[in-house]
């Protein structure tokens, strides 16, 4: 009978050890886990490479990757070698015999324990510090590329007379090297001290000397290196004062030297540099003297000097020299800051003109006619009418428009007109049934642009569309209407394979298409499919039958994401906007080059200065990298993204910008010349909003050029809050075709207003020429109002508007029931020495899901009108009718007043309201008041019903028109 316990007749099973089968299984699982992690890392790298190759910017990927790898290995190896060498050297210098003490006997156990593994332990320690150092260095790839490729600014700082490129490109790299040196010295010192202690070179409780001569010399040299690096830091700190940020009560955020910096800190840094050099030499001298007495004394002297010379002395200078006569002492340095800041932000050529704030013309007819000549006042607010576009031109639920539409210029009858435009993009939330095939294969793109006149409304208060229906037709001509890349397209699609895509639908059913562009990554290769299955965490990509020959995956589809990916060295404007260019829809993206190393120029945080009431409600309008602190910015690149192919093109816009030239050296061939911009594209470029917002924020203080005025703070302005929005955020700038007093014709401009610090009246009006075809493109003009004249600011105008009795009663009527009043953009226009305000007022009422233009507010020099149309409001304000012909809206009825039934009902409502108010005054007569309220309710109900019928009729007409035109597909 066999021995079950493992005798000579049977196999012996060793207790506690897994069987061979289990060990094989565990090894297999371990190998698979390693292979899985390796493939996951490979998938990320491979899909990135494929994407960059698909957009023809593979050089960006290879340059960035090779730079990161090079920095990782160079600095990781340097750190590992330095730490490893000092550990090896400390071990080699160990004493041959350890002292007989309890301390050393305890350490003997550790020495014996690690003896067999010394080599492996050394490799582990050096590898760990090398990996950490290498990863940190790889993150400095931008700093390295800017240092290697830096070009001169040909401008020198006023203190050290060095080219600005030293501060922008060189100093950041030197500071990184210094920081790396400090980290290396400290780690080497710690590693060497621990090794000496472990092997008896350093003793804490043992009798006799606390350190051997070898340990003393070794550690002294490392301390000397640390102190020498500190001397270098003191020297670089001298130059760092030119770009140092500090708080200055007279101006707030301050960059550059002040009186105490130039007269106390600067000499103190020089003295401390000399002391640190001497102290470092004393540490090195320990190699011969074998005593720490002099180095310790020198180090103590350096610390004491840092406290007294570097801290106490500047405080004394500030207290007893600067504060008693601060303005006189600081004025020369403030003057340098003024000049540098204005240059760094491109506001040095700002033209400030005194503006009276009051009209000088008594001829009202002439004034009324001047309005049409001065500005094309936009009554279609692109930030309000998006729901109107959505309801009237969405056509299908799986299309959608952005929350904020855009303003552009398109020709009409030989003249350019301000146009509100939006794209009918794909909205996955509106798909009838969401599943993987529908979301990623069948519903893949939007269709067509929708545009409307910015200065007109139809009789019902709707936009006057110049491009509409599906497929879109109108003034934009023929163009590729399919939109595969857009602001709302944030998921991937797989196109071009056996699975057909839904193009659009009409009465005859769904029209299908198949993507023929060359965008995206080909999925024919099984390795590619596996990589994307891992990258997108979607295994169906690997085995789905919907993917076959010709299938391509599209991702990174928003314009801002694509530009940021191909040019990671640019800061992207928050508002990409579409334009029909050369028969294609192109997204236009403004991009900036920035630095925070411009000497004496005050810093600003992009996220703070570009925030306004629009970014508060629509975060997609926020500038990319919004927390960047910068003190130099240029709109150096104009980029385009094709809405069908996704092709990204970068154009050099600012040909003088040294930062852009530096990046073009680092990434040759990625940026096209400005001359390559076509005339059609040039017609749609404009001055970017985020740059304008940064500049207007700086100009609240830096519009003055005199240091004494700047220091007094008497001329400080602020950007007013948006009076039409409850967010408490700044009013956004507005694009408007208008002319300033020194201009002979209207120009497409970007405008804003300023108010005095802490007050609501108007202090200045600012505009910049935004049409790049004009010779004055980018010229900033400021109309400065006299302090002796009080002109109402935007908040005061809105407040007066809301408090005026007749207007308030009308607003109350319009807001009855389920109606809601929405205020449009409050536009400001300089007119004959005064300032004209115009604001459209919309009503979203009853069953309507979108706002309609119902009234227009106009205010000029204390006179206010609140009428159905802009022309009527202008006529009432000036007391005369304009001699120009009102725009043709395609009907004999005045635009914006509604149909007769609605008009009659609103008139009855007004009569009932008046009767109710009169009843309250007489007695009050509560029976008469109750009857008036009942009449008012009935009239409002009739108005709502009549308007609803009109809207439904218009919707049916729009759908029929859409169905008829959809059959004319290309």
């Amino acid at each position: 009978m066999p021995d079950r316990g493992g005798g000579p007749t049977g196999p012996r099973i060793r207790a506690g050890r897994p069987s061979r089968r289990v060990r094989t299984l565990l090894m297999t699982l371990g190998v698979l886990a390693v292979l899985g992690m390796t493939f996951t890392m490979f998938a990320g790298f491979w899909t990135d490479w494929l994407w960059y190759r698909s957009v023809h910017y593979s050089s960006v990927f290879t340059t960035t990757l090779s730079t990161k790898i090079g920095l990782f290995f160079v600095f990781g190896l340097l750190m590992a070698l330095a730490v490893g060498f000092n550990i090896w050297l400390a071990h080699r210098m160990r004493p041959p015999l350890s002292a007989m003490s309890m301390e050393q006997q305890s350490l003997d156990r550790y020495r014996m324990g690690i003896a067999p593994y010394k080599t492996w332990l050394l490799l582990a320690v050096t590898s760990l510090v090398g990996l950490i150092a290498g990863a940190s260095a790889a993150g400095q790839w931008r700093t390295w590329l800017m240092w290697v490729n830096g070009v001169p600014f040909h401008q020198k700082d006023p203190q050290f007379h060095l080219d600005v490129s030293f501060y922008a490109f060189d100093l950041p790299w030197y500071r990184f090297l210094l920081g790396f040196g400090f980290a290396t010295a400290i780690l080497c010192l710690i590693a060497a001290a621990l090794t000496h202690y472990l092997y008896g070179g350093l003793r804490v409780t043992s009798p006799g000397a606390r350190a051997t001569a070898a340990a003393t010399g070794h550690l002294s040299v490392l301390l000397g290196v640390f102190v020498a690096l500190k001397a270098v830091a003191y020297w670089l700190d001298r130059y760092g004062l030119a770009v140092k940020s500090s708080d200055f009560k007279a101006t707030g955020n301050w960059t550059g030297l002040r009186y105490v910096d130039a007269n106390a800190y600067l000499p103190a840094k020089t003295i401390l540099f000399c002391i640190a050099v001497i102290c470092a030499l004393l540490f090195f001298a320990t190699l011969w003297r074998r005593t720490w007495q002099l180095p310790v004394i020198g180090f103590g002297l350096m610390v004491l000097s840092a406290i007294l010379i570097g801290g106490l002395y500047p405080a004394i200078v500030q207290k007893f020299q600067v504060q008693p006569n601060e303005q006189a002492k600081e004025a020369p340095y403030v003057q340098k800051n003024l000049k540098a800041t204005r240059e760094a932000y491109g506001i040095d050529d700002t033209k400030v003109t005194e503006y009276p704030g009051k009209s000088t013309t008594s001829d009202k007819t002439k004034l009324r006619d001047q309005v049409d000549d001065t500005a094309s006042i936009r009554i279609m607010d692109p930030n309000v009418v998006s729901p109107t576009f959505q309801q009237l031109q969405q056509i299908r639920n799986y299309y959608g428009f952005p929350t904020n539409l855009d303003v552009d210029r398109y020709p009409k009858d030989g003249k350019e007109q301000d146009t509100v435009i939006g794209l009918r993009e794909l909205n996955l939330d509106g798909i009838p049934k969401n599943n993987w095939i529908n979301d990623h294969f069948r519903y893949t793109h939007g269709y067509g642009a929708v545009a409307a006149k910015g200065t007109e409304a139809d009789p019902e208060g709707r936009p006057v569309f110049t491009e509409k229906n599906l497929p879109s037709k109108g003034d934009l001509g023929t163009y590729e209407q399919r939109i595969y890349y857009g602001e709302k397209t944030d998921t991937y699609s797989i196109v071009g394979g056996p699975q057909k895509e839904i193009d659009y639908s009409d009465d005859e059913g769904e029209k299908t298409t198949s993507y023929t562009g060359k965008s995206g990554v080909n999925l024919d290769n099984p390795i590619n499919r596996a990589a994307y299955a891992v990258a997108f965490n979607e295994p169906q990509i690997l085995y789905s039958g919907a993917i076959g020959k010709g299938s391509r995956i599209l991702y990174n589809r928003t314009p801002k994401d694509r530009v940021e990916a191909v040019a990671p060295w640019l800061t992207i404007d928050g508002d990409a906007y579409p334009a029909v260019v050369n028969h294609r829809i192109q997204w236009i993206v403004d991009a900036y080059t920035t630095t925070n190393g411009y000497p004496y120029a005050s810093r600003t945080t992009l996220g703070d200065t570009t925030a306004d009431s629009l970014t508060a409600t629509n975060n997609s309008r926020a500038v990319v990298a919004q927390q960047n602190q910068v003190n130099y910015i240029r709109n150096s690149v104009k980029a385009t993204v094709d809405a069908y192919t996704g092709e990204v093109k970068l154009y050099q816009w600012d040909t003088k910008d040294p930062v852009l030239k530096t990046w073009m050296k680092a990434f040759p061939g990625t940026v096209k010349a400005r001359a390559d911009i076509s005339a059609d594209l040039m017609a749609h470029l404009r001055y970017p909003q985020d740059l304008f917002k940064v500049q207007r924020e700086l100009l609240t203080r830096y519009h003055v050029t005199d240091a004494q005025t700047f220091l007094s703070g008497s001329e400080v302005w602020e950007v007013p809050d948006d009076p039409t929005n409850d967010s408490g955020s700044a009013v956004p700038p507005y694009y408007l075709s208008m002319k300033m007093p020194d201009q002979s014709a209207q120009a497409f401009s970007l405008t804003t207003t300023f108010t005095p610090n802490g007050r609501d009246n108007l202090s200045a009006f600012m505009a910049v020429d935004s049409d790049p075809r004009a010779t004055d493109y980018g010229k900033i003009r400021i109309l400065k109002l006299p302090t002796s004249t009080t002109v109402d600011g935007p908040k005061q105008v809105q407040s007066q508007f809301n408090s005026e009795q007749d207007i308030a009663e009308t607003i109350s009527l319009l807001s009855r029931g389920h109606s809601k009043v929405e205020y449009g953009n409050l536009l400001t226009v300089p007119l004959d020495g005064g300032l004209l305000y115009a604001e459209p007022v919309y009503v979203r009422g009853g069953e309507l899901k979108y706002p309609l233009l119902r009234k227009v507010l106009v205010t000029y020099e204390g006179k206010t009108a609140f009428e159905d149309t802009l022309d009527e409001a202008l006529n009432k304000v000036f007391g005369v009718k304009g001699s120009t012909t009102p725009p043709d809206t395609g009907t004999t009825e005045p635009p914006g007043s509604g149909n007769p039934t609605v008009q009659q009902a609103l008139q009855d409502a007004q009569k009932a309201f008046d009767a109710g108010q009169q009843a309250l005054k007489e007695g009050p007569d509560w029976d008469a008041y109750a009857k008036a309220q009942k009449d008012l309710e009935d009239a409002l109900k009739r108005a709502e019903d009549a308007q609803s019928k009109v809207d439904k009729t218009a919707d049916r007409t729009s759908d029929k028109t859409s169905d008829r035109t959809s059959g004319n597909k290309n």
Side-chain angles (χ1 to χ4, degrees):
M1 189 171 182
D3 183 359
R4 296 183 183 276
T9 58
R12 180 176 298 274
I13 301 175
R14 297 181 181 178
R17 183 177 181 181
S19 65
R20 179 178 298 176
R21 180 178 297 175
V22 173
R23 293 199 304 272
T24 303
L25 178 61
L26 290 175
M27 291 178 62
T28 303
L29 291 176
V31 170
L32 290 176
V34 172
L35 289 176
M37 289 187 292
T38 302
F39 187 78
T40 300
M41 291 186 291
F42 166 78
F45 162 80
W46 185 243
T47 53
D48 284 348
W49 161 249
L50 291 174
W51 186 85
Y52 275 97
R53 191 176 64 174
S54 73
V55 294
H56 308 294
Y57 282 89
S58 55
S59 63
V60 174
F61 179 80
T62 55
T63 300
T64 304
L65 182 64
S66 61
T67 303
K68 290 179 179 179
I69 292 174
L71 292 172
F72 177 86
F73 280 106
V74 169
F75 286 93
L77 189 61
L78 284 174
M79 179 67 80
L81 289 175
V83 173
F85 173 75
N86 279 279
I87 293 175
W88 172 83
L89 188 61
H91 179 266
R92 185 184 178 92
M93 291 178 174
R94 69 190 184 279
L97 297 174
S98 58
M100 298 300 294
S101 66
M102 292 299 295
E103 178 188 26
Q104 293 303 314
Q105 288 178 15
S106 298
L107 290 173
D108 279 340
R109 292 197 299 270
Y110 293 104
R111 288 193 284 262
M112 293 175 63
I114 67 173
Y117 311 106
K118 286 191 294 186
T119 302
W120 291 107
L121 186 60
L122 177 63
L123 287 175
V125 171
T126 55
S127 297
L128 179 62
V129 297
L131 286 172
I132 295 173
S136 176
Q140 298 293 322
W141 64 271
R142 290 181 177 86
T143 308
W144 162 260
L145 288 176
M146 293 183 78
W147 180 65
V148 171
N149 300 284
V151 301
F153 277 67
H154 300 296
Q155 290 176 289
K156 294 184 178 182
D157 78 282
Q159 182 67 41
F160 301 102
H161 307 292
L162 296 173
D163 192 89
V164 173
S165 61
F166 170 81
Y167 301 94
F169 307 140
D170 299 342
L171 190 58
W173 178 249
Y174 297 153
R175 281 177 166 166
F176 163 72
L177 291 180
L178 185 63
F180 179 82
F182 274 124
T184 304
I186 292 171
L187 288 175
C188 289
L189 185 62
I190 293 172
L194 289 175
T195 305
H196 280 299
Y197 175 73
L198 181 63
Y199 287 97
L202 292 176
R203 307 180 184 96
V204 178
T205 62
S206 299
R210 298 300 184 191
T212 63
T216 299
H218 185 192
L219 296 179
S220 294
V221 169
L222 291 176
L223 286 169
V225 171
F226 179 85
V227 176
L229 290 172
K230 188 61 180 174
V232 176
Y234 282 133
W235 189 257
L236 286 181
D237 284 347
R238 297 168 68 254
Y239 302 110
L241 292 172
V243 290
K244 182 192 72 171
S245 286
S246 60
D247 289 328
F248 186 19
K249 67 178 182 179
T251 62
N253 182 22
W254 173 273
T255 301
L257 286 85
R258 291 158 52 193
Y259 180 89
V260 69
D261 296 312
N263 295 278
Y265 280 110
L266 189 56
K269 297 292 184 183
T270 306
I271 294 171
L272 289 172
F273 163 76
C274 297
I275 294 174
V277 170
I278 295 172
C279 188
L281 293 175
L282 290 176
F283 273 108
F284 293 141
T286 307
L287 286 173
W288 295 275
R289 294 179 55 85
R290 302 296 182 181
T291 176
W292 281 357
Q293 184 176 5
L294 284 178
V296 170
I297 293 173
F299 188 78
L301 176 62
M302 187 179 73
V303 173
L304 183 62
S305 300
I307 296 172
L308 295 177
I309 302 175
L312 185 59
Y313 173 61
I316 293 172
V317 171
Q318 178 69 22
K319 179 71 174 177
F320 295 101
Q321 291 191 33
V322 178
Q323 288 185 6
N325 191 15
E326 188 172 43
Q327 286 207 8
K329 294 291 186 182
E330 300 288 14
Y333 303 95
V334 170
Q335 198 66 51
K336 296 174 184 178
N337 177 269
L338 280 169
K339 182 176 184 295
T341 302
R342 290 168 62 86
E343 290 173 349
Y345 290 95
I347 57 177
D348 49 325
D349 290 332
T350 298
K351 182 180 179 182
V352 180
T353 306
E354 297 294 334
Y355 192 68
K358 286 188 175 181
S359 173
T360 58
T361 301
S362 58
D363 188 343
K364 300 300 183 182
T365 303
K366 183 179 179 182
L367 274 176
R368 173 64 183 87
D369 291 340
Q370 278 187 17
V371 176
D372 297 323
D373 182 57
T374 300
S376 299
I377 298 176
R378 179 166 34 79
I379 56 175
M380 283 291 113
D381 186 347
N383 306 308
V384 173
V385 298
S386 178
T388 309
F389 275 51
Q390 185 82 4
Q391 288 297 314
L392 300 181
Q393 287 297 317
Q394 178 189 23
I395 310 298
R396 296 291 179 262
N397 287 335
Y398 47 82
Y399 294 130
F401 291 91
T403 306
N404 305 99
L405 304 176
D406 290 287
V407 177
D408 203 348
R409 302 90 70 205
Y410 284 90
K412 177 70 174 179
D413 299 329
K415 297 177 63 177
E416 284 194 344
Q417 63 180 7
D418 289 357
T419 302
V420 177
I421 186 171
L423 299 187
R424 194 184 288 110
E425 296 189 45
L426 178 67
N427 175 26
L428 290 179
D429 292 335
I431 292 177
K433 183 178 181 181
N434 288 98
N435 55 54
W436 190 64
I437 293 295
N438 277 347
D439 290 352
H440 300 288
F441 289 82
R442 288 184 59 74
Y443 295 91
T444 59
H445 60 278
Y447 208 100
V450 176
K453 294 180 180 180
T455 55
E456 296 181 30
D458 74 3
E460 304 302 331
R462 297 183 178 89
V464 177
F465 291 109
T466 58
E467 183 80 11
K468 60 182 180 179
N469 298 333
L470 185 70
S472 294
K473 289 186 178 297
D475 294 346
L476 301 185
T478 58
Y479 58 96
E480 174 55 68
Q481 297 195 20
R482 298 175 183 88
I483 303 161
Y484 284 87
Y485 295 87
E487 289 181 305
K488 299 171 69 71
T489 315
D490 54 5
T491 188
Y492 70 90
S493 290
I494 299 176
V495 298
Q499 179 67 58
K500 292 294 184 180
E501 310 161 43
I502 293 178
D503 211 17
Y504 63 90
S505 302
D506 58 18
D507 289 341
E508 298 176 2
E510 294 179 343
K511 307 295 183 181
T512 60
T513 187
S514 187
Y515 185 70
T516 58
K518 300 301 180 183
S519 181
V521 178
N522 198 311
L523 294 180
D524 288 350
N525 188 328
I527 296 178
N528 292 357
R529 293 177 66 172
Y532 280 103
V534 171
F536 290 122
N537 194 28
E538 180 49 73
Q540 293 187 76
I541 295 177
L542 185 61
Y543 56 77
S544 174
I547 301 175
K549 184 175 177 59
S551 291
R552 310 180 73 85
I553 185 168
L554 313 180
Y555 61 105
N556 281 359
R557 297 168 70 184
T558 66
K560 289 192 287 188
D561 286 346
R562 292 181 78 79
V563 175
E564 187 181 21
V566 302
W569 34 273
L570 290 173
T571 299
I572 311 302
D573 189 272
D575 183 22
Y577 61 97
V580 177
V581 179
N582 296 322
H583 308 292
R584 305 190 72 87
I585 297 175
Q586 298 283 349
W587 289 98
I588 300 175
V589 183
D590 286 286
Y592 310 107
T593 49
T594 61
T595 180
N596 62 358
Y598 199 99
Y600 271 101
S602 291
R603 287 188 173 91
T604 186
T605 303
L606 292 182
D608 295 337
T609 53
T610 59
D612 58 26
S613 60
L614 296 185
T615 61
T617 56
N618 183 6
N619 191 54
S620 65
R621 285 292 180 102
V623 64
V624 177
Q626 57 181 298
Q627 292 309 314
N628 278 358
Q629 274 238 328
V630 304
N631 67 353
Y632 172 93
I633 186 170
R634 290 290 186 272
N635 176 212
S636 297
V637 172
K638 300 284 189 181
T640 62
V641 177
D642 192 292
Y644 182 75
T645 66
E647 181 184 15
V648 181
K649 292 181 180 179
L650 308 176
Y651 296 98
Q652 181 183 15
W653 186 247
D654 190 332
T655 57
K656 298 179 180 179
D657 178 30
V659 181
L660 177 61
K661 291 179 181 179
T662 296
W663 287 119
M664 290 175 68
K665 281 182 64 180
F667 297 96
T670 57
V671 181
K672 298 178 178 293
R674 178 167 176 158
D676 292 338
I677 299 176
S678 67
D680 200 2
L681 174 59
M682 187 71 77
H684 295 282
L685 300 182
R686 67 189 191 189
Y687 200 84
Q689 291 187 66
D690 284 337
L691 175 60
F692 183 78
K693 286 188 278 188
V694 170
Q695 291 174 325
R696 76 171 177 178
E697 182 65 31
L698 268 296
L699 282 167
T700 58
R701 290 175 294 141
Y702 287 91
H703 62 276
V704 302
T705 56
D706 175 66
Q708 295 293 340
T709 306
F710 187 84
L711 283 167
S712 70
S714 61
E715 292 289 336
V716 175
W717 301 335
E718 61 183 22
V719 179
D721 290 341
D722 189 349
T724 67
N725 192 291
D726 295 330
S727 66
S729 302
V731 61
Y734 295 121
Y735 288 105
L736 185 66
S737 290
M738 54 159 288
K739 69 176 182 178
M740 295 288 273
D742 63 337
Q743 293 179 297
S744 59
Q746 290 185 22
F748 188 65
S749 305
L750 192 53
T751 65
T752 192
T753 53
F754 295 108
T755 57
N757 191 25
R759 292 189 292 161
D760 293 327
N761 56 289
L762 200 68
S763 58
F765 175 84
M766 172 179 166
V768 61
D769 284 13
S770 299
D771 190 337
R773 297 166 298 178
T775 55
D776 284 343
Y777 171 80
K779 185 176 183 61
I780 299 174
R781 294 177 172 89
I782 293 179
L783 302 180
K784 181 183 174 184
L785 278 71
T787 55
S788 58
T789 301
T790 301
V791 178
D792 289 341
K795 188 175 181 179
Q796 292 174 320
V797 169
Q798 190 71 33
S799 178
Q800 292 173 8
F801 164 51
N802 293 335
S803 61
E804 192 164 322
Q805 183 176 357
D806 292 342
I807 296 176
E809 291 175 355
T810 305
I811 291 294
S812 178
L813 284 172
L814 294 174
S815 303
R816 291 279 182 173
H818 299 289
S819 299
K820 179 184 176 183
V821 172
E822 298 183 19
Y823 300 110
N825 39 222
L826 181 57
L827 302 176
T828 309
V829 177
L831 178 67
D832 193 57
L835 288 144
L836 177 77
Y837 288 98
E839 179 181 67
V841 179
Y842 302 84
V843 176
R844 192 193 304 234
E847 298 178 357
L848 289 177
K849 298 179 180 179
Y850 56 92
L852 297 175
L853 179 68
R854 285 303 182 214
K855 295 286 184 178
V856 179
L857 163 76
V858 173
T859 298
Y860 186 72
E861 296 199 337
K863 296 181 180 179
T864 301
F866 189 56
E867 302 298 325
D868 293 336
T869 68
L870 176 62
D871 280 333
E872 290 175 1
L874 290 171
N875 293 343
K876 184 174 181 179
V877 162
F878 294 104
V880 294
K881 292 185 178 181
S883 59
T884 56
T885 304
D888 181 12
T889 59
T891 177
T892 57
E893 298 181 30
S897 60
N899 65 76
T901 305
V902 175
Q903 287 181 353
Q904 184 59 50
L906 289 175
Q907 289 174 5
D908 293 343
Q910 181 65 55
K911 291 177 181 178
F913 179 81
D914 294 339
Q917 295 300 309
Q918 186 65 30
L920 289 176
K921 295 177 182 179
E922 297 176 354
D925 186 344
W926 295 111
D927 292 336
Y929 179 75
K931 181 180 183 304
Q933 289 298 104
K934 180 66 170 62
D935 294 342
L936 174 62
E937 184 178 349
D938 292 341
L940 289 174
K941 185 66 171 62
R942 282 188 284 112
E944 183 177 330
D945 292 342
Q947 184 63 56
S948 178
K949 291 179 182 179
V950 171
D951 294 333
K952 290 178 180 178
T953 302
D955 289 341
R956 288 195 297 268
T957 303
S958 175
D959 287 339
K960 290 178 181 180
T961 305
S962 171
D963 294 339
R964 287 196 303 270
T965 57
S966 63
N968 298 327
K969 179 181 174 289
N970 297 345

